[in-house]
Short mmCIF file of all heavy atoms in Angstrom, two decimals:
data_model
loop_
_atom_site.label_atom_id
_atom_site.label_comp_id
_atom_site.label_asym_id
_atom_site.label_seq_id
_atom_site.Cartn_x
_atom_site.Cartn_y
_atom_site.Cartn_z
N SER A 88 24.92 -31.22 21.53
CA SER A 88 24.62 -30.96 22.94
C SER A 88 23.71 -29.74 23.02
O SER A 88 23.77 -28.85 22.17
CB SER A 88 25.90 -30.70 23.74
OG SER A 88 26.57 -29.55 23.25
N THR A 89 22.85 -29.75 24.04
CA THR A 89 21.94 -28.64 24.28
C THR A 89 21.95 -28.32 25.77
O THR A 89 22.37 -29.14 26.58
CB THR A 89 20.50 -28.97 23.86
OG1 THR A 89 20.04 -30.11 24.59
CG2 THR A 89 20.40 -29.24 22.37
N SER A 90 21.45 -27.16 26.12
CA SER A 90 21.39 -26.81 27.53
C SER A 90 20.06 -27.19 28.17
O SER A 90 19.91 -27.11 29.38
CB SER A 90 21.64 -25.30 27.72
OG SER A 90 20.65 -24.55 27.06
N SER A 91 19.10 -27.62 27.36
CA SER A 91 17.81 -28.04 27.91
C SER A 91 17.29 -29.25 27.13
O SER A 91 17.72 -29.51 26.00
CB SER A 91 16.79 -26.90 27.84
OG SER A 91 16.50 -26.56 26.50
N LEU A 92 16.38 -29.97 27.73
CA LEU A 92 15.86 -31.19 27.14
C LEU A 92 15.20 -30.96 25.78
O LEU A 92 15.33 -31.74 24.87
CB LEU A 92 14.89 -31.88 28.09
CG LEU A 92 14.45 -33.29 27.70
CD1 LEU A 92 15.65 -34.22 27.52
CD2 LEU A 92 13.51 -33.85 28.76
N HIS A 93 14.52 -29.86 25.63
CA HIS A 93 13.85 -29.55 24.36
C HIS A 93 14.54 -28.37 23.70
O HIS A 93 13.89 -27.46 23.18
CB HIS A 93 12.36 -29.26 24.60
CG HIS A 93 11.68 -30.41 25.26
ND1 HIS A 93 11.47 -31.61 24.61
CD2 HIS A 93 11.22 -30.58 26.52
CE1 HIS A 93 10.88 -32.45 25.45
NE2 HIS A 93 10.71 -31.85 26.61
N GLY A 94 15.86 -28.43 23.66
CA GLY A 94 16.67 -27.32 23.16
C GLY A 94 17.05 -27.39 21.70
O GLY A 94 17.90 -26.63 21.25
N GLY A 95 16.47 -28.31 20.95
CA GLY A 95 16.72 -28.37 19.52
C GLY A 95 17.68 -29.47 19.09
O GLY A 95 18.30 -29.36 18.03
N GLN A 96 17.80 -30.53 19.86
CA GLN A 96 18.72 -31.61 19.52
C GLN A 96 18.45 -32.18 18.13
O GLN A 96 19.36 -32.27 17.31
CB GLN A 96 18.62 -32.74 20.55
CG GLN A 96 19.07 -32.36 21.93
CD GLN A 96 18.84 -33.50 22.91
OE1 GLN A 96 18.69 -34.65 22.54
NE2 GLN A 96 18.83 -33.17 24.18
N GLU A 97 17.23 -32.59 17.87
CA GLU A 97 16.93 -33.25 16.60
C GLU A 97 17.06 -32.30 15.42
O GLU A 97 17.59 -32.68 14.38
CB GLU A 97 15.54 -33.89 16.66
CG GLU A 97 15.53 -35.06 17.63
CD GLU A 97 14.18 -35.73 17.75
OE1 GLU A 97 13.15 -35.11 17.41
OE2 GLU A 97 14.15 -36.89 18.20
N SER A 98 16.62 -31.06 15.56
CA SER A 98 16.76 -30.13 14.44
C SER A 98 18.22 -29.80 14.17
O SER A 98 18.63 -29.63 13.02
CB SER A 98 15.95 -28.84 14.68
OG SER A 98 16.42 -28.16 15.81
N THR A 99 19.05 -29.77 15.20
CA THR A 99 20.48 -29.53 15.00
C THR A 99 21.11 -30.69 14.25
O THR A 99 21.88 -30.50 13.31
CB THR A 99 21.19 -29.32 16.35
OG1 THR A 99 20.65 -28.16 16.98
CG2 THR A 99 22.69 -29.13 16.17
N LEU A 100 20.79 -31.91 14.67
CA LEU A 100 21.33 -33.09 13.99
C LEU A 100 20.90 -33.11 12.52
O LEU A 100 21.71 -33.38 11.63
CB LEU A 100 20.88 -34.36 14.71
CG LEU A 100 21.44 -34.53 16.13
CD1 LEU A 100 20.71 -35.63 16.87
CD2 LEU A 100 22.94 -34.77 16.10
N LEU A 101 19.65 -32.80 12.26
CA LEU A 101 19.17 -32.77 10.87
C LEU A 101 19.82 -31.65 10.07
O LEU A 101 20.10 -31.82 8.88
CB LEU A 101 17.65 -32.67 10.84
CG LEU A 101 16.92 -33.92 11.34
CD1 LEU A 101 15.42 -33.64 11.46
CD2 LEU A 101 17.18 -35.10 10.42
N SER A 102 20.08 -30.49 10.70
CA SER A 102 20.73 -29.40 9.98
C SER A 102 22.15 -29.79 9.56
O SER A 102 22.63 -29.36 8.52
CB SER A 102 20.75 -28.11 10.80
OG SER A 102 21.73 -28.13 11.82
N MET A 103 22.81 -30.63 10.37
CA MET A 103 24.14 -31.12 10.00
C MET A 103 24.06 -32.20 8.93
O MET A 103 24.95 -32.34 8.10
CB MET A 103 24.87 -31.66 11.22
CG MET A 103 25.31 -30.59 12.20
SD MET A 103 26.37 -31.26 13.51
CE MET A 103 25.16 -32.11 14.52
N ALA A 104 22.99 -32.99 8.95
CA ALA A 104 22.85 -34.10 8.00
C ALA A 104 22.62 -33.64 6.57
O ALA A 104 23.15 -34.25 5.63
CB ALA A 104 21.70 -35.02 8.44
N LEU A 105 21.85 -32.60 6.38
CA LEU A 105 21.45 -32.19 5.03
C LEU A 105 22.63 -31.98 4.08
O LEU A 105 22.64 -32.54 2.98
CB LEU A 105 20.54 -30.97 5.08
CG LEU A 105 19.20 -31.22 5.76
CD1 LEU A 105 18.40 -29.92 5.85
CD2 LEU A 105 18.40 -32.30 5.05
N PRO A 106 23.65 -31.19 4.45
CA PRO A 106 24.75 -31.02 3.50
C PRO A 106 25.55 -32.30 3.27
O PRO A 106 26.07 -32.52 2.17
CB PRO A 106 25.62 -29.92 4.12
CG PRO A 106 25.16 -29.78 5.52
CD PRO A 106 23.79 -30.32 5.62
N LEU A 107 25.64 -33.16 4.27
CA LEU A 107 26.38 -34.41 4.10
C LEU A 107 25.62 -35.35 3.17
O LEU A 107 26.24 -36.07 2.37
CB LEU A 107 26.65 -35.06 5.45
CG LEU A 107 27.47 -34.20 6.43
CD1 LEU A 107 27.66 -34.94 7.75
CD2 LEU A 107 28.80 -33.79 5.83
N ILE A 108 24.31 -35.33 3.23
CA ILE A 108 23.49 -36.11 2.29
C ILE A 108 23.70 -35.57 0.87
O ILE A 108 23.83 -36.35 -0.08
CB ILE A 108 22.01 -36.08 2.71
CG1 ILE A 108 21.83 -36.86 4.03
CG2 ILE A 108 21.12 -36.65 1.61
CD1 ILE A 108 20.48 -36.66 4.69
N HIS A 109 23.78 -34.25 0.74
CA HIS A 109 24.07 -33.67 -0.58
C HIS A 109 25.42 -34.12 -1.10
O HIS A 109 25.62 -34.24 -2.32
CB HIS A 109 24.02 -32.14 -0.52
CG HIS A 109 22.66 -31.58 -0.69
ND1 HIS A 109 22.13 -31.29 -1.92
CD2 HIS A 109 21.70 -31.27 0.22
CE1 HIS A 109 20.89 -30.83 -1.77
NE2 HIS A 109 20.62 -30.80 -0.48
N HIS A 110 26.35 -34.38 -0.20
CA HIS A 110 27.67 -34.89 -0.59
C HIS A 110 27.62 -36.36 -1.01
O HIS A 110 28.62 -36.90 -1.45
CB HIS A 110 28.67 -34.74 0.57
CG HIS A 110 29.39 -33.43 0.59
ND1 HIS A 110 30.51 -33.19 -0.18
CD2 HIS A 110 29.17 -32.29 1.28
CE1 HIS A 110 30.95 -31.97 0.03
NE2 HIS A 110 30.15 -31.39 0.92
N GLY A 111 26.46 -36.99 -0.85
CA GLY A 111 26.32 -38.39 -1.21
C GLY A 111 26.71 -39.35 -0.10
O GLY A 111 26.88 -40.54 -0.34
N MET A 112 26.85 -38.82 1.10
CA MET A 112 27.21 -39.66 2.23
C MET A 112 25.99 -40.41 2.75
O MET A 112 24.86 -40.06 2.44
CB MET A 112 27.86 -38.81 3.33
CG MET A 112 29.16 -38.15 2.86
SD MET A 112 29.98 -37.17 4.13
CE MET A 112 30.75 -38.49 5.08
N ILE A 113 26.21 -41.45 3.53
CA ILE A 113 25.15 -42.33 4.02
C ILE A 113 24.92 -42.05 5.50
O ILE A 113 25.81 -42.22 6.33
CB ILE A 113 25.56 -43.80 3.83
CG1 ILE A 113 25.82 -44.08 2.34
CG2 ILE A 113 24.49 -44.74 4.39
CD1 ILE A 113 26.58 -45.36 2.09
N TYR A 114 23.70 -41.61 5.83
CA TYR A 114 23.34 -41.23 7.20
C TYR A 114 23.15 -42.48 8.06
O TYR A 114 22.35 -43.35 7.75
CB TYR A 114 22.05 -40.42 7.15
CG TYR A 114 21.69 -39.63 8.38
CD1 TYR A 114 20.66 -38.70 8.31
CD2 TYR A 114 22.33 -39.79 9.60
CE1 TYR A 114 20.29 -37.95 9.41
CE2 TYR A 114 21.97 -39.05 10.71
CZ TYR A 114 20.95 -38.13 10.62
OH TYR A 114 20.59 -37.39 11.71
N VAL A 115 23.89 -42.54 9.17
CA VAL A 115 23.78 -43.63 10.12
C VAL A 115 23.20 -43.06 11.41
O VAL A 115 23.80 -42.19 12.04
CB VAL A 115 25.16 -44.27 10.41
CG1 VAL A 115 25.04 -45.38 11.45
CG2 VAL A 115 25.78 -44.79 9.13
N GLY A 116 22.04 -43.55 11.79
CA GLY A 116 21.41 -43.11 13.03
C GLY A 116 21.51 -44.17 14.11
O GLY A 116 22.30 -45.12 14.01
N ILE A 117 20.71 -44.00 15.12
CA ILE A 117 20.66 -44.96 16.25
C ILE A 117 19.32 -45.67 16.19
O ILE A 117 18.27 -45.03 16.32
CB ILE A 117 20.84 -44.22 17.59
CG1 ILE A 117 22.17 -43.47 17.62
CG2 ILE A 117 20.75 -45.22 18.75
CD1 ILE A 117 22.35 -42.59 18.85
N PRO A 118 19.33 -46.99 16.02
CA PRO A 118 18.06 -47.72 15.91
C PRO A 118 17.39 -47.92 17.26
O PRO A 118 18.04 -47.87 18.31
CB PRO A 118 18.48 -49.06 15.31
CG PRO A 118 19.86 -49.27 15.82
CD PRO A 118 20.48 -47.88 15.87
N TRP A 119 16.10 -48.17 17.22
CA TRP A 119 15.32 -48.40 18.44
C TRP A 119 15.73 -49.68 19.16
O TRP A 119 15.31 -49.93 20.29
CB TRP A 119 13.83 -48.40 18.13
CG TRP A 119 13.35 -47.02 17.85
CD1 TRP A 119 13.08 -46.49 16.62
CD2 TRP A 119 13.12 -45.97 18.79
NE1 TRP A 119 12.70 -45.16 16.74
CE2 TRP A 119 12.73 -44.83 18.08
CE3 TRP A 119 13.24 -45.88 20.18
CZ2 TRP A 119 12.44 -43.62 18.69
CZ3 TRP A 119 12.94 -44.67 20.78
CH2 TRP A 119 12.55 -43.57 20.04
N THR A 120 16.56 -50.51 18.53
CA THR A 120 17.05 -51.71 19.20
C THR A 120 18.05 -51.36 20.30
O THR A 120 18.36 -52.22 21.12
CB THR A 120 17.71 -52.67 18.19
OG1 THR A 120 18.71 -51.95 17.45
CG2 THR A 120 16.67 -53.23 17.23
N GLU A 121 18.52 -50.13 20.32
CA GLU A 121 19.38 -49.67 21.42
C GLU A 121 18.46 -49.32 22.59
O GLU A 121 17.71 -48.35 22.53
CB GLU A 121 20.21 -48.45 21.01
CG GLU A 121 21.29 -48.75 20.00
CD GLU A 121 22.34 -49.71 20.52
OE1 GLU A 121 22.62 -49.72 21.74
OE2 GLU A 121 22.88 -50.47 19.70
N GLU A 122 18.49 -50.13 23.63
CA GLU A 122 17.58 -49.98 24.76
C GLU A 122 17.60 -48.57 25.36
O GLU A 122 16.56 -48.03 25.74
CB GLU A 122 17.91 -51.00 25.85
CG GLU A 122 16.94 -50.98 27.01
CD GLU A 122 17.26 -52.02 28.07
OE1 GLU A 122 17.93 -53.01 27.75
OE2 GLU A 122 16.84 -51.81 29.22
N ALA A 123 18.77 -47.97 25.46
CA ALA A 123 18.90 -46.65 26.07
C ALA A 123 18.08 -45.59 25.33
O ALA A 123 17.67 -44.60 25.93
CB ALA A 123 20.36 -46.22 26.14
N LEU A 124 17.82 -45.81 24.05
CA LEU A 124 17.02 -44.85 23.29
C LEU A 124 15.58 -44.79 23.81
O LEU A 124 14.93 -43.75 23.75
CB LEU A 124 17.05 -45.19 21.80
CG LEU A 124 16.69 -44.10 20.82
CD1 LEU A 124 17.56 -42.86 21.01
CD2 LEU A 124 16.82 -44.61 19.41
N SER A 125 15.10 -45.89 24.34
CA SER A 125 13.73 -45.94 24.87
C SER A 125 13.64 -45.57 26.34
O SER A 125 12.54 -45.31 26.83
CB SER A 125 13.16 -47.36 24.68
OG SER A 125 13.09 -47.68 23.32
N THR A 126 14.76 -45.54 27.02
CA THR A 126 14.72 -45.29 28.47
C THR A 126 15.34 -43.96 28.88
O THR A 126 15.16 -43.54 30.02
CB THR A 126 15.43 -46.42 29.23
OG1 THR A 126 16.80 -46.48 28.82
CG2 THR A 126 14.74 -47.75 28.98
N THR A 127 16.06 -43.31 27.98
CA THR A 127 16.78 -42.09 28.37
C THR A 127 15.83 -40.99 28.83
O THR A 127 14.74 -40.81 28.28
CB THR A 127 17.66 -41.57 27.20
OG1 THR A 127 18.41 -40.44 27.68
CG2 THR A 127 16.84 -41.17 25.99
N THR A 128 16.25 -40.27 29.84
CA THR A 128 15.53 -39.08 30.29
C THR A 128 16.40 -37.84 30.06
O THR A 128 16.08 -36.76 30.53
CB THR A 128 15.15 -39.17 31.79
OG1 THR A 128 16.34 -39.35 32.55
CG2 THR A 128 14.19 -40.33 32.03
N THR A 129 17.49 -38.04 29.34
CA THR A 129 18.39 -36.93 29.02
C THR A 129 18.54 -36.87 27.50
O THR A 129 17.57 -36.64 26.82
CB THR A 129 19.74 -37.10 29.74
OG1 THR A 129 20.29 -38.39 29.43
CG2 THR A 129 19.59 -36.96 31.23
N GLY A 130 19.73 -37.11 26.97
CA GLY A 130 19.95 -37.00 25.53
C GLY A 130 19.85 -38.32 24.82
O GLY A 130 19.84 -39.39 25.43
N GLY A 131 19.81 -38.23 23.49
CA GLY A 131 19.77 -39.40 22.64
C GLY A 131 18.55 -39.39 21.74
O GLY A 131 17.44 -39.22 22.23
N THR A 132 18.77 -39.52 20.44
CA THR A 132 17.68 -39.54 19.48
C THR A 132 18.01 -40.54 18.38
O THR A 132 19.16 -40.92 18.21
CB THR A 132 17.47 -38.16 18.81
OG1 THR A 132 18.43 -38.00 17.75
CG2 THR A 132 17.60 -37.01 19.79
#
Side-chain angles (χ1 to χ4, degrees):
S88 62
T89 59
S90 61
S91 65
L92 190 56
H93 302 291
Q96 295 176 20
E97 292 179 340
S98 62
T99 298
L100 294 167
L101 291 171
S102 77
M103 289 188 285
L105 295 176
L107 300 179
I108 292 168
H109 275 272
H110 271 278
M112 298 181 78
I113 301 164
Y114 195 169
V115 178
I117 301 173
W119 287 103
T120 54
E121 291 297 328
E122 184 179 337
L124 200 56
S125 298
T126 61
T127 185
T128 58
T129 54
T132 81

